[in-house]
Amino acid sequence: MHATREILPGIHWVGGSDRRLERFENLFPLPNGITYNAWTILDEKTALIDTVDGAIGPLFLENLAHALQGRPLDYLVVNHMEPDHCAHIDAILRLHPQARLVGNTKTHAFFRQFYPEAKDVHILEVKEGDRLPLGRRTLRFVLAPMVHWPEVMFTLEETEGILFSADAFGAFGALPGNLFADELDHASLFLDETRRYYANIVGRYGPQVQAVLRKLEGVQIRTICPLHGPMWRKDLHVLLGLYDRWSRYAPEKRGVVLAYGSMYGNTENAVHALAARLADLGTTDMRIHDISKVHPSYVIADFWKYSHLVLAAPTYNMGLYYPMHNLLHEISSLGLRDRTVALIGNHTWSSAALKEMQGMLSGMKGMTVIGMPQDVRSALRADDASWLDALAREVAESAQLQV
Ligand code: FEO
């Protein structure tokens, strides 16, 4: 049976949630599932804004049929041609052969790549600023290239200021029936998952997010409708402020994230000894992650949030312990920058981890290494206390000054 919600007169949410999928993009764990949002607009003309992932196809098609109330679909607007939002375009066009597929040049090129067999598709190609009147409501298209993919655009419903924002402002997590951030416990349920989604999915494209935020300055926006997670109709400045900060790679808070890989517990012991000293020195807001155990997407979300990182790992196969190598590769690829970092290595018979961490960090922008990077010789000894004390002082003082 359909499960739709009318979010504004004539505008229905026709998306759905998938609580079974283990990993988004087959990469990112989804302990709380994921939502795929889509909407219909019924006016003199009818429009569907985006579609959904194949996993919730049957429900989506029922939702669409219910929301259209027997009317034909005039426009299918594709803000993002990634398959988690586009699994059912062909089915919809078969059901509504008169519908026009609305997108930009790149949308249509990608459509042809994903649907090489599609025939008799009526395309409506739009450019930056083009308007599409539906009757009482008018849609305006705002290109947002690389706010995940190059074809991405936002659709602004101008009459009531509704921004359909593709992946931007999205979150991991299935919706609990409530659709809007102000009608659910957003701080507990979605804030961390909005940050984890941003850092890992959109994080690389900070300059492009900044560009589209500048384009939207002065635009009257009353509702934000992302393709994943809750919609927003109150306190939009909170969400916009976070996006502005995250896309400038500016930390939200002063605090220290200690991320370590440890084969037998000795590197872990060095991190615990440092963390205890940091706490003694009054450092608050610390997070410790064993990166062999915690998925990197969570560690990376904390790196986005906090000002200071401590990275610790042993030498392994004459190089850097693989999980730390992977983590540094990921943050480099995501373009994380402007963090203050302290480093601890460990080796027994060949030292390479510390040097490799330093080398990888030196290739990233604005990563400032503080303190004297230390290379533990197998396990901490009593005389290691002096460098631990000194490193803790440097990190604590720096963390208390910044942000
Ligand atoms: Fe939710 Fe970039 O797709």
Side-chain angles (χ1 to χ4, degrees), residues 24-25 36 80 82-85 147-149 152 166-167 197 201 227-228:
F24 185 72
E25 296 179 353
Y36 306 102
H80 186 14
E82 192 165 2
D84 56 330
H85 308 294
V147 180
H148 200 206
W149 277 23
V152 168
D167 279 339
Y197 181 88
I201 307 299
L227 286 173
H228 304 284

Side-chain angles (χ1 to χ4, degrees), residues 128 140 142-143 154 156 163 169 209-221 224 240-241 243-244 247-248:
E128 176 75 38
R140 174 155 70 89
V142 179
L143 300 192
F154 294 175
L156 179 70
L163 184 70
F169 310 111
V209 173
Q210 280 288 309
V212 80
L213 289 177
R214 298 291 82 83
K215 254 194 228 184
L216 292 171
E217 276 172 4
V219 174
Q220 187 68 253
I221 300 170
I224 296 179
L240 291 164
Y243 254 63
D244 178 49
S247 57
R248 287 185 288 108

Side-chain angles (χ1 to χ4, degrees), residues 366-398:
M367 292 299 201
T368 306
V369 176
I370 57 166
M372 181 69 78
Q374 292 293 328
D375 207 9
V376 175
R377 195 70 191 246
S378 303
L380 288 181
R381 302 179 313 200
D383 61 2
D384 286 314
S386 59
W387 69 257
L388 279 165
D389 288 340
L391 188 59
R393 269 197 306 277
E394 290 225 37
V395 173
E397 279 170 20
S398 171

Side-chain angles (χ1 to χ4, degrees), residues 185-372:
D185 186 354
H186 188 267
S188 300
L189 295 175
F190 283 101
L191 179 56
D192 287 347
E193 289 295 72
T194 304
R195 185 185 303 102
R196 186 166 71 98
Y197 181 88
Y198 177 82
N200 290 278
I201 307 299
V202 189
R204 180 182 172 88
Y205 307 110
Q208 290 85 354
V209 173
Q210 280 288 309
V212 80
L213 289 177
R214 298 291 82 83
K215 254 194 228 184
L216 292 171
E217 276 172 4
V219 174
Q220 187 68 253
I221 300 170
R222 293 195 185 85
T223 307
I224 296 179
C225 295
L227 286 173
H228 304 284
M231 290 164 251
W232 287 68
R233 61 190 171 189
K234 288 186 182 164
D235 301 324
L236 301 190
H237 65 281
V238 172
L239 183 63
L240 291 164
L242 284 171
Y243 254 63
D244 178 49
R245 185 167 279 273
W246 292 338
S247 57
R248 287 185 288 108
Y249 304 91
E252 277 168 72
K253 299 188 78 174
R254 71 182 80 189
V256 184
V257 187
L258 303 98
Y260 70 87
S262 185
M263 295 160 65
Y264 301 107
N266 292 303
T267 309
E268 177 184 51
N269 180 230
V271 166
H272 286 163
L274 181 66
R277 285 166 169 77
L278 287 169
D280 281 346
L281 292 165
T283 310
T284 53
D285 256 328
M286 289 194 288
R287 300 279 177 99
I288 299 183
H289 292 297
D290 178 344
I291 60 172
S292 296
K293 196 171 177 183
V294 178
H295 191 272
S297 62
Y298 293 94
V299 183
I300 288 167
D302 274 348
F303 284 3
W304 234 268
K305 182 175 182 180
Y306 290 107
S307 57
H308 285 63
L309 322 179
V310 174
L311 306 177
T315 294
Y316 190 86
N317 272 346
M318 314 284 240
L320 178 58
Y321 192 55
Y322 301 154
M324 183 59 79
H325 188 278
N326 291 345
L327 182 62
L328 286 170
H329 171 72
E330 282 196 42
I331 62 171
S332 167
S333 165
L334 290 169
L336 180 66
R337 59 180 184 239
D338 301 332
R339 295 296 184 275
T340 305
V341 188
L343 296 171
I344 300 173
N346 191 349
H347 76 285
T348 298
W349 49 272
S350 169
S351 172
L354 196 53
K355 214 174 290 173
E356 213 170 311
M357 286 193 283
Q358 288 170 312
M360 292 179 86
L361 284 167
S362 71
M364 302 178 210
K365 284 186 190 160
M367 292 299 201
T368 306
V369 176
I370 57 166
M372 181 69 78

